Amino acid sequence: MAKNSMPDLIGSSLERAVDCFRNGGIVAFPTETYYGLAVDPDSCSAISELYKIKNREAGKPLLLLIAEREQLNDLVERIPPEFIPLMDKFWPGPLTLVFPAKKEVCRQLTGETGTIGVRISSHPLANALAKKIGKPITATSANISGLQPPTKPSEVLRMFGTHLNYIIDGGETPGGLCSTVLGVRQGRCIVLRPGQIDLSGELRE
């Protein structure tokens, strides 16, 4: 997809963001932590471009945002019962749950792990974008790998410039810790990445 000129990259149009996304572009958007990057998870070329501009190590999986739980049906083989109360309590919010992925899910997304990390964002613009698109979107942080994720559209622009197709201006995001990432091993919930949500009081030994 053709890139835009620098002055045209930042704006508030969800319609334009959706159009860029559906045409294989890369869209930056605010979340409840940092800005993220959305591409179509069904587009191998868009995913490859995302890895390229982030200088992201091949084999590192990408997390996805969904607008509603029903969209899990297109992504996961099953929902571990241990996740149900956590989804009830912390979705929408900064809790990423790692599910067994359906074999149809792009292997670039799973990093060949056979699993896929998913969450529902509590940020109104992130959620509105996912709803308007009507399918899962990638939600990797809008940073070059190893650098601090940005909290402002201007920081996203400085980092990526015209490698992006559009940046949704949601003002400054809170930053802080990223989403907590949780998986299940042998019937037990395991924190794979500590984050904003402290699950120490939720998980059974």
Side-chain angles (χ1 to χ4, degrees), residues 69 83-95 97 197-199 201-203:
R69 289 194 198 183
F83 284 174
I84 300 296
L86 298 174
M87 292 161 65
D88 290 341
K89 184 170 183 178
F90 296 112
W91 277 12
L95 175 64
L97 299 174
I197 295 178
D198 180 3
L199 295 172
E202 304 290 334
L203 306 182

Side-chain angles (χ1 to χ4, degrees), residues 7-24:
D8 295 333
L9 278 173
I10 300 176
S12 59
S13 172
L14 279 179
E15 289 77 14
R16 183 169 169 185
V18 171
D19 183 62
C20 289
F21 176 95
R22 288 178 176 165
N23 282 283

Side-chain angles (χ1 to χ4, degrees), residues 134-152:
K135 65 184 294 184
I137 63 177
T138 65
T140 184
S141 56
N143 65 315
I144 294 171
S145 294
L147 299 183
Q148 178 69 18
T151 60
K152 300 176 182 177

Side-chain angles (χ1 to χ4, degrees), residues 3 47 73 119 143 174 194:
K3 299 296 189 285
I47 294 170
N73 296 330
R119 72 184 181 92
N143 65 315

